[in-house]
Amino acid sequence: MMPSERLSAADLTEGELRGAERAAVRLSPCHTTLCQLSALPGTNSWLARLQNLSVLGAGVFIDQAVDAGGFVYLEITSASGVFSRTLLTRIVHVSPWPDGGYLLGGEFLSKLSEDEVRLLVS
């Protein structure tokens, strides 16, 4: 694209538009990266699968709907099992997924470092 060219929202797909609105680039994991959601650390949790991750938030697939606007602890472990982080996460949106389940978008209350993101998606 030339510097004088500008994209409008009509030029972008829905996914590109959502990505353009984000403050940080989200990376997709190389493998199926499992994670857990819980109301409080050490309490009952449910499994989720990491869709994407950035320094500011994550997208995860879950089997059951949860309420947007609430908070959960999201524990993400790297595919190798060597590195793990548990992050207090505000649920920004929950969308039904065509194949079943839900895509949850969350914003971390504490930012991850770029190195932590790379470790978790590798």
Side-chain angles (χ1 to χ4, degrees):
M1 172 180 284
M2 300 298 294
S4 60
E5 294 179 58
R6 297 187 60 149
L7 286 176
S8 70
D11 298 322
L12 299 174
T13 65
E14 183 179 333
E16 291 169 330
L17 185 58
R18 287 181 73 180
E21 295 170 349
R22 290 193 174 119
V25 174
R26 291 207 177 192
L27 301 176
S28 297
C30 298
H31 310 284
T32 300
T33 301
L34 296 178
C35 41
Q36 294 185 60
L37 297 170
S38 63
L40 295 170
T43 63
N44 291 340
S45 62
W46 55 100
L47 289 178
R49 185 171 40 92
L50 186 66
Q51 167 68 16
N52 56 56
L53 182 67
S54 78
V55 296
L56 300 175
V60 298
F61 289 114
I62 56 175
D63 289 333
Q64 62 189 47
V66 295
D67 293 331
F71 293 87
V72 294
Y73 284 93
L74 176 62
E75 180 182 354
I76 307 170
T77 303
S78 65
S80 66
V82 173
F83 185 72
S84 177
R85 283 292 310 267
T86 301
L87 301 145
L88 184 56
T89 305
R90 182 174 67 88
I91 302 170
V92 177
H93 69 82
V94 179
S95 306
W97 201 247
D99 296 335
Y102 299 86
L103 177 64
L104 176 150
E107 177 182 51
F108 303 141
L109 270 59
S110 298
K111 185 176 170 179
L112 286 172
S113 73
E114 289 184 21
D115 288 339
E116 289 172 316
V117 170
R118 280 191 216 94
L119 283 168
L120 289 168
V121 297
S122 62

